[in-house]
Amino acid sequence: MSRPPAALRDIAPPPRLDPGTGLFTGYASLFGLADAQNDVVERGAFAASLIRRGPAGIRMLWQHDPAEPIGCWLGLSEDPVGLRVTGQLVTATTRGREARDLMAAGAVDGLSIGFRAIRAAPGRRGGLRRLLEVDLWEVSVVTFPALAGARVLRVAA
């Protein structure tokens, strides 16, 4: 299992979600770390897709289920650590309310990306795939993220 970078380890645990809101931020991907599928996302891999799709073109799903949209992404951007996201759960839906309540309880805090690899290269260590460019189509709230450090970091009141 990959350890999150120091920048993430030093962040205090997220405050609990205010039940009246569904706003949250986190990292959907971290650069330079191998996930459970042996993929390593490199800096810049999301750039073209974020420009092409924008937040409105990237879906927020529950557990990667396309039949279960739970909110909208307000912002997605690359920073030195990874793909930072800000989202709004739609609490007018049953699944959106359930996601909010599970996040508030600390029961679910994982994030995971759904993408198509456009450019990739073999990693330095055997079996790894370096993702140089991806077409990002969704980011899901999940119980078990493929990349251990891909988590909801802060929830806003």
Side-chain angles (χ1 to χ4, degrees), residues 1-2 29-42 112-113 115 117 119-132 134 145-148:
M1 182 179 302
S2 302
S29 181
L30 304 173
F31 297 135
L33 297 176
D35 68 13
Q37 283 79 40
N38 288 324
D39 284 335
V40 177
V41 178
E42 299 293 339
S112 184
I113 58 174
F115 66 93
R119 285 189 312 120
R124 289 185 199 101
R125 292 179 284 153
L128 293 180
R129 177 174 70 155
R130 292 177 44 235
L131 298 171
L132 306 173
V134 300
L147 182 58

Side-chain angles (χ1 to χ4, degrees), residues 67-85:
E68 299 251 26
I70 58 170
C72 299
W73 294 111
L74 305 176
L76 300 99
S77 62
E78 288 191 356
D79 71 12
V81 174
L83 180 64
R84 184 150 180 116
V85 296

Side-chain angles (χ1 to χ4, degrees), residues 1-91:
M1 182 179 302
S2 302
R3 277 180 52 107
L8 292 180
R9 290 193 304 267
D10 296 337
I11 295 174
R16 295 295 178 225
L17 188 64
D18 179 333
T21 181
L23 286 172
F24 66 95
T25 63
Y27 279 95
S29 181
L30 304 173
F31 297 135
L33 297 176
D35 68 13
Q37 283 79 40
N38 288 324
D39 284 335
V40 177
V41 178
E42 299 293 339
R43 282 187 177 95
F46 298 106
S49 187
L50 294 177
I51 291 168
R52 187 173 53 258
R53 291 182 181 273
I58 298 167
R59 300 294 174 238
M60 181 192 299
L61 303 178
W62 177 251
Q63 309 284 353
H64 293 294
D65 185 344
E68 299 251 26
I70 58 170
C72 299
W73 294 111
L74 305 176
L76 300 99
S77 62
E78 288 191 356
D79 71 12
V81 174
L83 180 64
R84 184 150 180 116
V85 296
T86 301
Q88 172 74 59
L89 296 167
V90 176
T91 58

